[in-house]
Amino acid sequence: MHYFDCGKIQYEGPSSKNPLAFKHYDPSAVIAGKTMKAHLRFAAPYWHVMRNELSDPFGPGTAQMPWDDRSNAVENALARIDVFFEFLEKTGIDFYCWHDRDIAPELNDLAASNAALDAVVEKLKAKQKETGVQLLWGTACLFQHPRYAQGAATSPDARVYAYAAAQVKKALECTHALDGLGYTFWGGREGYATLLNTDMKRELDHLAAFLHMAVDHAKKIGFQGPFYIEPKPREPSTHQYDSDAAACLNFLREYGLMDHFKLNIETNHATLAGHTMEHELTVSANAGRLGSIDANRGDTLVGWDTDQFPTDIYLTTQVMLVVLEMGGFTTGGLNFDAKRRRESHEPIDLIHAHIGGMDAFARGLKIAHAIREDGRLGDFVKARYSSFDSDIGAQVEAGEASFESLEAYALQGGEPALASGRQEMLENLINEFI
Ligand code: XLS
Ligand code: NI
Ligand code: NI
């Protein structure tokens, strides 16, 4: 049975008018010594592709899923896998990500849910082997079930905390069984709505203990990681503990977890935090902790996580500038944590959506590479800081300056003549390439 009304999507080049073709993503084309495929490492999220029914707070799902009987049966979960792999094969996406509860149903008790997961993982393993598809990361869904309404690893209830730990233990083991390259923690309910009922310090201590136990368990089973933390400032909680990249890095440092974690940065979470995506990526990369990307975009008119497909070439260019600057992904990749609009309810819309994201990132890659090759942008930034290359500036950077030596310098140097930041000129320069 085939559900996507198309063949394998081919690269046809920029002049093609075929909506079911890549205009820019040419997987085998080499840029800066690496194929586009190797640079971009596209991944598809099981939750959006297979499980998102496209409901909104005002109405039920619209997505046509003729393969899905909407039951909680393991057979239904197994049947979805074939459809997902048809989707991966047709789009040419080589990686995927899941939550435990997307791939397998949550049943009456933990043991039954674990058994369902085992059955699904066995089939995923066979499919991976058959196709060469890899698991970019796994994660446990600790936000949907009502037991997690007040948090999972930050729940005030130790019984809920234990349940969450058991779920992560199993999800980690399943990730490892599938040779997953990473494991993600997105703290969906790790936050609070009011401090009137919240002991924030105690909750954060519990969260850190939880993550340390995850590190220990990974060691025990031989999972090499990395672990990712995915920052998001709000939604569903009013105040999320992992609010942005800087807050996550601070938390990891404070609790001695830095060596085991990298960050998974999502575009729409960055903008909800009041940052740009390139800000969040740069903060992470500066700390040597940029691991992976959830590639989507928000809507400037809407204040929640709209998870739209990334189609903005400026955005993908900025993302790829940071990725190229850090020397590319290692274990991470570009996971389209994005869903179709409720109006785009046909299976083929999934293909259109991913083609758009892949082409936008292919262009971003080409443009970012051209900007780097051209060198004017990099040279400008280097020149802007050149007063720190010698003399008093070099002494500052070498830790050899003091307030006395700087005062002596300022007294004899007179009023500094500041050079222009040339923002508009640089914006024009970027537009030369877009
Ligand atoms: C939700 C998050 C979620 C994580 C995985 O906003 O983006 O989908 O990526 O739990
Ligand atoms: Ni995400
Ligand atoms: Ni998100």
Side-chain angles (χ1 to χ4, degrees):
M1 246 331 227
H2 293 283
Y3 289 100
F4 299 99
D5 198 9
C6 61
K8 185 169 168 50
I9 305 303
Q10 304 292 332
Y11 170 70
E12 292 185 4
S15 61
S16 168
K17 297 282 179 277
N18 177 4
L20 290 167
F22 295 119
K23 318 292 189 305
H24 297 275
Y25 179 57
D26 182 1
S28 57
V30 173
I31 291 184
K34 247 174 27 183
T35 62
M36 278 196 167
K37 195 184 173 89
H39 275 288
L40 297 167
R41 295 169 65 84
F42 291 126
Y46 204 90
W47 55 99
H48 281 316
V49 176
M50 295 316 297
R51 306 307 310 278
N52 199 321
E53 298 186 359
L54 307 179
S55 64
D56 71 12
F58 300 95
T62 57
Q64 295 171 356
M65 299 174 165
W67 53 82
D68 197 311
D69 68 14
R70 317 265 166 161
S71 78
N72 236 358
V74 174
E75 295 68 46
N76 192 28
L78 292 171
R80 283 185 201 115
I81 294 175
D82 294 311
V83 184
F84 186 60
F85 276 77
E86 181 197 341
F87 165 82
L88 293 177
E89 203 263 318
K90 289 189 165 163
T91 50
I93 293 179
D94 303 315
F95 298 92
Y96 72 115
C97 305
W98 48 246
H99 301 85
D100 49 359
R101 302 306 183 228
D102 310 327
I103 50 172
E106 174 143 17
L107 299 173
N108 286 340
D109 60 39
L110 188 58
S113 302
N114 285 349
L117 255 178
D118 286 334
V120 165
V121 165
E122 196 186 310
K123 177 152 179 183
L124 287 172
K125 202 176 168 82
K127 279 293 197 182
Q128 285 184 203
K129 199 160 171 213
E130 183 186 315
T131 58
V133 162
Q134 284 181 281
L135 177 62
L136 193 71
W137 49 261
T139 187
C141 177
L142 302 180
F143 47 88
Q144 237 161 40
H145 194 282
R147 85 174 68 84
Y148 298 126
Q150 299 178 43
T154 62
S155 173
D157 188 324
R159 292 164 301 181
V160 172
Y161 186 96
Y163 208 105
Q167 214 182 306
V168 169
K169 175 178 178 289
K170 183 67 182 172
L172 193 53
E173 289 164 0
C174 291
T175 300
H176 189 44
L178 293 171
D179 299 313
L181 299 172
Y183 184 91
T184 292
F185 289 89
W186 169 58
R189 302 274 171 195
E190 315 298 17
Y192 64 90
T194 172
L195 275 180
L196 293 174
N197 63 13
T198 302
D199 186 334
M200 195 201 292
K201 174 79 169 78
R202 225 169 155 185
E203 291 198 359
L204 286 168
D205 289 349
H206 295 167
L207 176 60
F210 193 94
L211 297 180
H212 273 291
M213 287 187 265
V215 169
D216 291 345
H217 194 67
K219 233 177 253 162
K220 192 171 274 173
I221 64 175
F223 175 72
Q224 306 271 335
F227 285 124
Y228 302 119
I229 290 213
E230 185 177 321
K232 183 176 183 181
R234 60 180 69 85
E235 194 209 50
S237 296
T238 315
H239 300 270
Q240 297 272 149
Y241 291 134
D242 300 331
S243 55
D244 66 1
C248 287
L249 291 169
N250 180 57
F251 172 83
L252 294 173
R253 280 198 193 95
E254 183 177 352
Y255 287 100
L257 287 158
M258 265 300 240
D259 289 346
H260 308 285
F261 284 80
K262 290 184 169 181
L263 300 185
N264 179 39
I265 300 296
E266 178 165 324
T267 322
N268 206 164
H269 299 183
T271 48
L272 285 174
H275 301 304
T276 59
M277 180 59 166
E278 60 270 31
H279 171 88
E280 288 293 84
L281 293 174
T282 305
V283 168
S284 313
N286 286 347
R289 283 288 166 272
L290 175 53
S292 202
I293 290 176
D294 272 7
N296 61 15
R297 76 179 151 97
D299 185 322
T300 45
L301 303 179
V302 175
W304 65 87
D305 196 10
T306 59
D307 281 347
Q308 289 173 241
F309 277 84
T311 51
D312 178 338
I313 312 298
Y314 284 90
L315 170 69
T316 58
T317 298
Q318 285 155 341
V319 169
M320 291 316 296
L321 277 171
V322 182
V323 171
L324 290 177
E325 179 65 25
M326 77 162 184
F329 292 115
T330 49
T331 50
L334 290 167
N335 171 43
F336 290 114
D337 195 352
K339 63 186 185 211
R340 296 164 286 162
R341 297 307 86 193
R342 190 164 182 271
E343 298 86 334
S344 310
H345 56 282
E346 295 174 4
I348 198 74
D349 288 309
L350 277 167
I351 306 274
H352 287 297
H354 286 80
I355 289 175
M358 293 164 83
D359 256 350
F361 267 98
R363 284 181 79 178
L365 169 62
K366 288 193 271 190
I367 294 165
H369 176 61
I371 291 171
R372 287 166 59 79
E373 285 285 284
D374 171 79
R376 277 175 291 159
L377 184 66
D379 288 348
F380 181 88
V381 177
K382 213 184 269 161
R384 190 161 180 244
Y385 294 88
S386 59
S387 62
F388 282 90
D389 292 339
S390 59
D391 203 11
I392 194 74
Q395 287 165 28
V396 169
E397 290 199 349
E400 288 158 4
S402 66
F403 269 15
E404 281 92 358
S405 71
L406 290 165
E407 183 190 45
Y409 183 88
L411 283 170
Q412 51 93 25
E415 186 59 32
L418 200 54
S420 167
R422 296 265 192 273
Q423 178 173 335
E424 297 76 9
M425 183 194 83
L426 297 172
E427 286 168 350
N428 298 349
L429 191 155
I430 296 293
N431 277 355
E432 271 182 43
F433 293 87
I434 294 207

